[in-house]
Amino acid sequence: MSLPKLARLPSARLLTSVLPHHQLLLPPLSPLTIPCRTKIQQDYRRPGQPREKRYPYNFNFSKGIEGIKKHFTLLKDEFFGRWVGPEGKPLIEHLLEQNLVIWEFRGPESLKQWTVSSDQEIGGQSEAHLKMGRNDITCFLHGKLNCTVPRDGETRYSGYCSMRSKIPKASFDRKKHYDWSSFNTLHLRVRGDGRPWMINIATETYFSHQKDDIYNYFLYTRGGPYWQEVKIPFSKFFLSHRGRIQDNQHPIWLDKVNTIGFTLGDKAEGAFQLEVDFVGVCKDYAHTEEFAYEMYERNPKD
Amino acid sequence: MKCARCLLQLQGLRLQGLRLQGLQLPGLQLQGLQGQSARSAAQHGALLQSSSQPHMLRNTQHQVIRRFHRSPINDKNQPVPAEFIDEDDNKKDKSLVIHDDLFEQVARETKTKATFNKVVEVFIKQDVRRRGHVEFIYAALQKMPEFGVERDLAVYNKLLDVFPKEVFVPRNFIQIMFNHYPRQQECGVQLLEQMECYGIMPNVDTKVLLIQIFGVKGHPVRKYQRILYWFPKFKHTNPYPVPKNLPEDPVDLARLSLARIADDRDAKVTVYQLACTDITESGEEITLPHVVGIQSPSQMELLAQHNPSRPVFVEGPFPLWLRDKCVYYYVLRADPVPPEEKVEEPYDPERSLAYPLQLDLDLDRDLGDEESFDVEDLDEGEVFAMCMTSQGDQAVLNQWVSGLQQNNPILGRVPTLFRLEQGPRELQGAHKTKSDHQHRPDPQTQREEEEEEVSVEEEPRRSQGMKP
């Protein structure tokens, strides 16, 4: 099941709070020094933890019936949605729309689309919790960061937490992607406490080595009682792999976006909180930049 | 035959033993010496003798005593084997001499940049081959925060100087390909990573040192190039930058943070009270906390339009983080007005003479021109003022509200309720029963306390929580 996998995948941390293999600004190590995890990896398994057993399966009749109902309803919606237009919306809307709200937190069911993780997966002591905000209108991510490094001999930094959306699912648990190719700006309304967060967008990749490729950018909160509207153009997102910013940069491909996430890892111990009202994308006609970083070859052969 | 070095060890121990006993042996004639070794040992002995003060045993001429044939993985924590000591005079102290970590030794004195530099210099001068420099550098990187030098570029450059130069530079393409001297390269990269961690920008000295030590094609120089590329790109990305050196004075800090959260350049900061200690008649010391408040003209207008029959709430404390420092602020706000009571005032046409504020045209926007999101606006009630104080109890906040009353006379007629919680505030979903109600004593209001509390409790508790 891909849902539990997602829950345990550590999302990209900030530039500094990373595990030792994931060295920021370091190229792939030469063959002699590469760690032994070169083969295709599944989720992150904390060293020392037993591998999980996949069997025996639990069979539950009522859950099965519910599942069948849910999937067939989704299938029916998809089938008849095609007659309305692409992605279930009329064609003219799909072509001309300028703003689209992707996630808004109205009601506790919206929290089910998000996964919260913290450095407890690598043995740290930070906590993070997600609940509905005041009047069930916003989401409230709060917790406590603890920067003590877990003593397992290989971890160097600690103290992070993150909130990541789940991959949208079509009928029968097939992966669906967001298509934001007609938009160019990410627009959020947040209210933080002055801490700097990082936004991570993960897209669908072809090769398995690109699985941990994430596009990041900073989300600086002002703090205070007023809401903050943040607009980040997609041209500003830089590519990183496993928390390490890469040399070869390219603009994010928006046609198959999987997840978006918020991470905090600013090495300040203490409580944190972030309220998010909605996350949307929009098309800003005034923004003409294609990419904010240079794309020339970084390590020339000569 | 004992080599000169072993004899030096003997001498060192002997001198230490002598020091303990307060004696000075005349003429350090060494036993069993022959030929040229006598000369060198005598020279060293003379030097040792001339250094009469005890702490000079660690002077620049001092050699870290260690075994000759074993690579000193740790020139720290290596106990001198007992056999050497037993050969000494029986009267001397028979305890094992353990060579502590050079940094640990400084721990007994004050830890400053000067002492850190001194330790590094001791290490550099004691061996031209710099044996054990990788471990020394790792230990130094770890000890830097204790000495308070982790944000000092000069110290990092000095630490880079510990590496022997030109030894690790690859000389042909095979060496380049195969990660020449990987441990040292890893150590160099780790040093740069610590600099990156603390946000220190390296300078041209770092570059020159790195090229001298590792050559242009190694990992450390590549990392340096990356730092130099990405740091300037991200330096000015913060739209709300926090100054690097926060003010020490709490009133200045309060000014800075209130101006930051007010989001209005017209907002005015007022200091209602400065921190001071008073001595009452009974001789007790009372510390009065500082009270700093902020209010902008638009907030004053909103407060003036507020319906006096609805209460205002003083809520707090809410956290605000400035780099690694958390301060707390309190808010004066009101609940959102229910839709049936909302009064829409007609636009005054004289407010703007250049263009009309309200148009009665029947034009519709096309789908492609829809510029706002399809999200309902959050109506959480207005915020009228914010304040920061070191002691957030009701008496102090009362002071703040009465200070506000001078500019906003409506506060005299409006009931004020306090919703305070100890400790950092989270959403009040789980703490609904803990809100503290207190009617602010005001001789001008006609309403009774019980009536007020009842009417407040009858209101649906829609807007409980930490922030408006």
Side-chain angles (χ1 to χ4, degrees):
Chain A
M1 294 289 285
S2 38
L3 275 177
K5 270 187 203 174
L6 197 62
R8 275 178 282 137
L9 184 70
S11 42
R13 271 90 58 198
L14 274 182
L15 297 173
T16 48
S17 49
V18 289
L19 291 174
H21 326 290
H22 322 152
Q23 290 200 24
L24 194 67
L25 306 188
L26 189 71
L29 299 172
S30 74
L32 288 182
T33 48
I34 223 168
C36 58
R37 293 201 287 173
T38 35
K39 56 184 195 296
I40 296 165
Q41 298 171 37
Q42 310 302 327
D43 307 325
Y44 176 73
R45 185 183 66 88
R46 180 151 176 246
Q49 271 182 354
R51 287 174 212 271
E52 57 161 44
K53 286 195 229 168
R54 298 295 184 108
Y55 58 87
Y57 296 109
N58 295 328
F59 291 102
N60 193 336
F61 192 66
S62 58
K63 271 198 195 164
I65 298 279
E66 273 176 34
I68 290 177
K69 267 197 230 166
K70 180 179 90 164
H71 290 310
F72 275 101
T73 325
L74 281 172
L75 187 64
K76 186 185 77 158
D77 289 337
E78 273 167 45
F79 184 71
F80 289 113
R82 276 256 154 113
W83 296 102
V84 177
E87 290 173 32
K89 287 183 295 192
L91 181 66
I92 193 156
E93 257 188 46
H94 181 76
L95 288 177
L96 289 181
E97 65 181 342
Q98 236 186 326
N99 306 289
L100 179 66
V101 178
I102 312 284
W103 288 277
E104 54 177 0
F105 296 93
R106 309 276 183 263
E109 299 81 34
S110 53
L111 291 185
K112 290 197 197 135
Q113 296 171 350
W114 294 82
T115 312
V116 173
S117 66
S118 68
D119 69 353
Q120 288 189 352
E121 356 179 286
I122 54 167
Q125 289 146 34
S126 322
E127 311 166 344
H129 312 282
L130 184 66
K131 49 185 167 182
M132 284 310 289
R134 178 195 295 235
N135 292 348
D136 279 358
I137 279 190
T138 59
C139 91
F140 187 67
L141 174 70
H142 67 281
K144 199 162 174 193
L145 275 193
N146 191 322
C147 297
T148 40
V149 180
R151 300 180 65 166
D152 55 3
E154 54 172 22
T155 319
R156 279 209 289 264
Y157 310 100
S158 183
Y160 69 88
C161 78
S162 83
M163 175 168 113
R164 198 174 183 182
S165 77
K166 296 188 177 155
I167 299 183
K169 290 295 173 77
S171 56
F172 300 106
D173 283 339
R174 289 176 294 145
K175 272 204 296 194
K176 214 168 43 163
H177 314 290
Y178 294 108
D179 181 8
W180 297 340
S181 37
S182 47
F183 303 102
N184 67 356
T185 313
L186 187 71
H187 188 125
L188 345 158
R189 193 188 284 165
V190 296
R191 187 163 61 186
D193 51 352
R195 288 213 190 205
W197 291 73
M198 188 162 238
I199 303 185
N200 322 317
I201 300 185
T203 55
E204 177 68 16
T205 54
Y206 187 75
F207 297 106
S208 54
H209 300 91
Q210 293 173 311
K211 193 167 55 121
D212 298 318
D213 274 1
I214 288 180
Y215 298 88
N216 305 324
Y217 198 68
F218 310 100
L219 170 69
Y220 292 104
T221 51
R222 180 184 65 217
Y226 292 111
W227 285 91
Q228 188 184 349
E229 304 250 343
V230 178
K231 275 197 183 164
I232 303 176
F234 286 119
S235 59
K236 298 278 187 197
F237 280 81
F238 54 86
L239 172 68
S240 73
H241 177 83
R242 290 234 186 127
R244 293 280 170 181
I245 193 167
Q246 295 301 300
D247 283 346
N248 305 320
Q249 291 287 331
H250 60 265
I252 178 173
W253 285 4
L254 292 161
D255 54 345
K256 286 204 173 71
V257 174
N258 276 347
T259 66
I260 195 171
F262 303 97
T263 315
L264 176 69
D266 65 344
K267 295 185 295 239
E269 280 209 33
F272 65 87
Q273 65 195 37
L274 180 76
E275 286 180 65
V276 184
D277 177 23
F278 74 89
V279 178
V281 285
C282 68
K283 184 161 35 178
D284 188 1
Y285 285 110
H287 184 78
T288 49
E289 186 187 54
E290 286 176 12
F291 192 50
Y293 313 106
E294 284 84 356
M295 294 195 281
Y296 55 73
E297 197 184 334
R298 300 311 166 86
N299 301 324
K301 297 293 181 288
D302 54 327
Chain B
M1 175 202 106
K2 288 188 196 157
C3 57
R5 214 182 279 254
C6 311
L7 290 163
L8 287 173
Q9 269 178 322
L10 267 177
Q11 282 311 307
L13 288 170
R14 180 173 279 193
L15 207 59
Q16 243 176 354
L18 292 174
R19 201 167 23 97
L20 289 170
Q21 293 184 351
L23 284 173
Q24 276 255 329
L25 269 183
L28 291 162
Q29 299 307 324
L30 310 161
Q31 299 148 16
L33 263 189
Q34 283 147 40
Q36 70 278 14
S37 49
R39 204 175 354 107
S40 54
Q43 275 174 4
H44 189 83
L47 282 167
L48 279 177
Q49 194 184 25
S50 63
S51 57
S52 46
Q53 297 121 29
H55 77 269
M56 288 295 278
L57 205 58
R58 279 193 285 288
N59 69 355
T60 50
Q61 309 293 335
H62 170 65
Q63 297 255 342
V64 170
I65 298 170
R66 56 187 185 278
R67 284 169 163 257
F68 182 67
H69 290 294
R70 201 161 60 158
S71 85
I73 295 171
N74 247 351
D75 56 343
K76 313 131 193 162
N77 297 333
Q78 273 225 349
V80 172
E83 49 188 301
F84 280 59
I85 305 175
D86 285 341
E87 284 177 62
D88 274 344
D89 203 338
N90 288 337
K91 294 182 209 157
K92 294 194 189 74
D93 195 1
K94 284 221 178 166
S95 61
L96 277 175
V97 176
I98 296 177
H99 297 280
D100 285 326
D101 193 358
L102 283 172
F103 292 101
E104 288 298 316
Q105 284 171 344
V106 184
R108 292 176 221 131
E109 310 156 35
T110 48
K111 285 187 174 176
T112 57
K113 179 176 168 180
T115 39
F116 191 90
N117 280 341
K118 203 162 110 180
V119 173
V120 176
E121 271 165 34
V122 163
F123 184 84
I124 289 177
K125 295 215 172 100
Q126 76 190 9
D127 186 8
V128 78
R129 294 187 188 88
R130 314 280 165 87
R131 291 254 167 87
H133 63 274
V134 171
E135 289 84 15
F136 177 78
I137 292 181
Y138 277 128
L141 286 176
Q142 213 184 2
K143 298 280 182 193
M144 265 187 174
E146 291 172 18
F147 284 73
V149 290
E150 72 268 11
R151 289 179 202 264
D152 200 338
L153 179 59
V155 173
Y156 283 105
N157 284 339
K158 197 169 173 69
L159 210 51
L160 257 188
D161 213 9
V162 172
F163 280 109
K165 313 286 179 297
E166 291 172 22
V167 184
F168 308 134
V169 177
R171 273 180 278 186
N172 51 42
F173 70 100
I174 305 173
Q175 287 180 344
I176 298 173
M177 216 168 28
F178 281 98
N179 220 10
H180 202 49
Y181 282 101
R183 270 189 91 203
Q184 280 78 2
Q185 289 208 20
E186 169 83 30
C187 182
V189 165
Q190 204 44 48
L191 196 148
L192 284 169
E193 191 166 304
Q194 178 151 340
M195 276 169 74
E196 179 206 338
C197 205
Y198 286 109
I200 303 158
M201 190 78 173
N203 67 0
V204 73
D205 293 333
T206 325
K207 174 177 163 190
V208 165
L209 275 166
L210 285 175
I211 293 183
Q212 273 181 344
I213 300 166
F214 295 108
V216 191
K217 299 277 184 176
H219 287 303
V221 172
R222 282 272 176 264
K223 178 153 177 97
Y224 166 84
Q225 287 166 342
R226 281 182 201 115
I227 293 180
L228 244 60
Y229 177 77
W230 290 108
F231 267 32
K233 293 237 180 243
F234 296 147
K235 197 171 162 87
H236 301 290
T237 45
N238 193 347
Y240 310 106
V242 182
K244 221 170 182 182
N245 302 318
L246 288 171
E248 301 286 339
D249 181 26
V251 175
D252 285 334
L253 188 64
R255 263 184 216 263
L256 176 82
S257 33
L258 283 174
R260 183 189 168 84
I261 61 177
D263 195 27
D264 194 344
R265 295 175 79 123
D266 298 328
K268 247 184 51 171
V269 176
T270 8
V271 182
Y272 293 106
Q273 189 182 277
L274 287 170
C276 54
T277 36
D278 268 346
I279 301 182
T280 59
E281 295 117 11
S282 51
E284 287 173 13
E285 267 201 11
I286 299 183
T287 32
L288 296 173
H290 64 276
V291 180
V292 187
I294 192 171
Q295 195 179 35
S296 66
S298 48
Q299 284 173 335
M300 278 203 261
E301 275 175 24
L302 283 171
L303 185 52
Q305 290 163 8
H306 180 73
N307 186 354
S309 60
R310 308 183 63 83
V312 293
F313 303 98
V314 174
E315 292 185 1
F318 302 121
L320 173 72
W321 282 86
L322 297 161
R323 284 187 195 264
D324 54 353
K325 200 165 175 177
C326 189
V327 294
Y328 296 97
Y329 64 94
Y330 301 84
V331 158
L332 180 75
R333 58 170 286 274
D335 276 345
V337 180
E340 53 268 11
E341 287 181 31
K342 267 195 204 151
V343 174
E344 284 223 15
E345 290 175 16
Y347 278 111
D348 180 18
E350 289 191 14
R351 249 176 67 192
S352 155
L353 295 170
Y355 54 87
L357 290 167
Q358 206 172 21
L359 280 177
D360 272 329
L361 306 170
D362 200 9
L363 296 173
D364 235 348
R365 287 202 122 173
D366 194 13
L367 195 61
D369 293 330
E370 192 75 9
E371 276 173 19
S372 58
F373 280 88
D374 192 14
V375 174
E376 58 202 54
D377 233 358
L378 285 175
D379 185 16
E380 283 186 334
E382 293 110 8
V383 172
F384 297 129
M386 277 94 69
C387 94
M388 283 179 71
T389 166
S390 55
Q391 215 178 312
D393 55 3
Q394 207 166 315
V396 176
L397 292 171
N398 251 330
Q399 247 184 317
W400 168 50
V401 180
S402 35
L404 270 180
Q405 201 179 330
Q406 290 171 4
N407 282 336
N408 307 285
I410 197 174
L411 279 175
R413 290 178 283 140
V414 171
T416 319
L417 302 168
F418 288 79
R419 277 195 196 145
L420 302 173
E421 272 214 0
Q422 299 305 318
R425 271 284 276 269
E426 289 180 1
L427 195 63
Q428 225 184 6
H431 302 292
K432 271 192 180 146
T433 49
K434 280 193 193 166
S435 51
D436 189 19
H437 289 272
Q438 185 83 29
H439 182 73
R440 189 169 139 268
D442 197 346
Q444 293 177 9
T445 56
Q446 310 267 326
R447 293 174 195 88
E448 289 173 343
E449 268 185 57
E450 296 92 19
E451 204 183 54
E452 209 48 33
E453 290 212 350
V454 163
S455 69
V456 163
E457 269 160 49
E458 276 172 358
E459 268 175 59
R461 295 265 181 102
R462 284 172 297 126
S463 43
Q464 287 213 358
M466 44 174 299
K467 282 186 175 172

